Amino acid sequence: VLFLPVGGNLVKSMSWSSGLCNCFQDCCSFWTVCCIPSVAIGQLAKRVLGYSCVFVTILLSSLFTLAGLFELYADLPRQDYKKENGLNMLNGWVNPIACHVSELKREDHEVICAPDPFVLAFCSISFCAACVFTTVLRNTIRRRDKIDQKYCTDCANIKDGEDCCCAFWCGPCSICQMMRHEGLTGKDYSVISQTGTVHLVDNKVSYGNVGNA
């Protein structure tokens, strides 16, 4: 908690519970964001925005999975050939989203191969979806807890632009920071809980609002 001088008076200003780059401060939140970021964002969306954790998690998981599959599929050859009588014959299989061959060539006559536009577009959609959720979550937490911008105030002349910049450039670190700030750490954290927390009810473990999607 900080007290800042405003108009001759000391105004109370809250701060994040930990720094943006303190990802290794808690291993539970760190590995969750690294391995299953859609779950981490879904749990934060449930706690902070009241959205359905299941819906957000499935939406982002589907986007991330499809983007990854498209990237792998795009690395396969555009056409499948087989050898017949010493000649390369088309085997009937054509990859529609294979690495797009550009007409540009380097001086050593090596063809420049760029990703297919469809793959680029879908990966961009997945990235933008994660950025939007992270920006909204971070901005909501800052406004709720009256946390001032610290790293890049109104970045690019955008009101509350720090949230956009942190989500775009430091997305995983921002998610880790929000999880630590919300107390989703250590033994209090559960990856299978919609709210991310573990409660003891009558000496039995309860995983929060598991029944409410």
Side-chain angles (χ1 to χ4, degrees):
V1 180
L2 302 176
F3 290 90
L4 303 178
V6 177
N9 299 319
L10 290 178
V11 178
K12 184 178 180 180
S13 174
M14 300 294 290
S15 61
W16 292 100
S17 63
S18 57
L20 181 64
C21 298
N22 294 346
C23 298
F24 296 106
Q25 183 173 318
D26 177 68
C27 291
C28 291
S29 58
F30 171 77
W31 284 114
T32 301
V33 174
C34 283
C35 300
I36 40 177
S38 54
V39 173
I41 296 176
Q43 291 174 332
L44 286 170
K46 177 69 176 179
R47 293 176 64 91
V48 178
L49 304 174
Y51 292 172
S52 169
C53 172
V54 174
F55 173 77
V56 174
T57 300
I58 292 177
L59 173 64
L60 293 179
S61 295
S62 300
L63 289 174
F64 295 158
T65 301
L66 287 174
L69 289 175
F70 286 148
E71 288 180 9
L72 291 174
Y73 193 66
D75 290 334
L76 296 176
R78 179 171 291 274
Q79 295 176 329
D80 185 24
Y81 292 93
K82 62 181 180 179
K83 282 278 188 179
E84 284 188 7
N85 300 324
L87 299 176
N88 288 328
M89 304 295 292
L90 185 62
N91 200 24
W93 181 80
V94 178
N95 182 1
I97 61 170
C99 188
H100 180 70
V101 178
S102 171
E103 294 182 359
L104 298 175
K105 296 183 179 180
R106 299 189 345 186
E107 294 181 358
D108 56 1
H109 303 291
E110 181 180 352
V111 177
I112 298 176
C113 192
D116 188 273
F118 173 77
V119 177
L120 284 177
F122 200 91
C123 291
S124 298
I125 292 173
S126 302
F127 178 75
C128 289
C131 281
V132 168
F133 270 106
T134 304
T135 299
V136 173
L137 285 167
R138 196 175 194 279
N139 184 261
T140 303
I141 293 175
R142 274 202 321 101
R143 289 177 176 274
R144 182 197 67 192
D145 295 343
K146 297 179 173 58
I147 301 175
D148 291 329
Q149 299 180 78
K150 176 181 178 182
Y151 304 102
C152 45
T153 303
D154 292 339
C155 178
N157 293 324
I158 302 174
K159 182 176 175 58
D160 295 331
E162 177 185 284
D163 302 315
C164 298
C165 289
C166 287
F168 185 85
W169 298 109
C170 311
C173 294
S174 297
I175 299 172
C176 284
Q177 183 185 41
M178 289 187 287
M179 291 185 70
R180 294 193 301 272
H181 189 79
E182 290 295 307
L184 306 183
T185 58
K187 295 180 179 179
D188 296 329
Y189 177 67
S190 171
V191 73
I192 63 174
S193 168
Q194 291 193 32
T195 57
T197 53
V198 178
H199 302 289
L200 287 177
V201 180
D202 296 331
N203 294 325
K204 294 181 180 180
V205 176
S206 173
Y207 294 101
N209 300 325
V210 176
N212 300 325

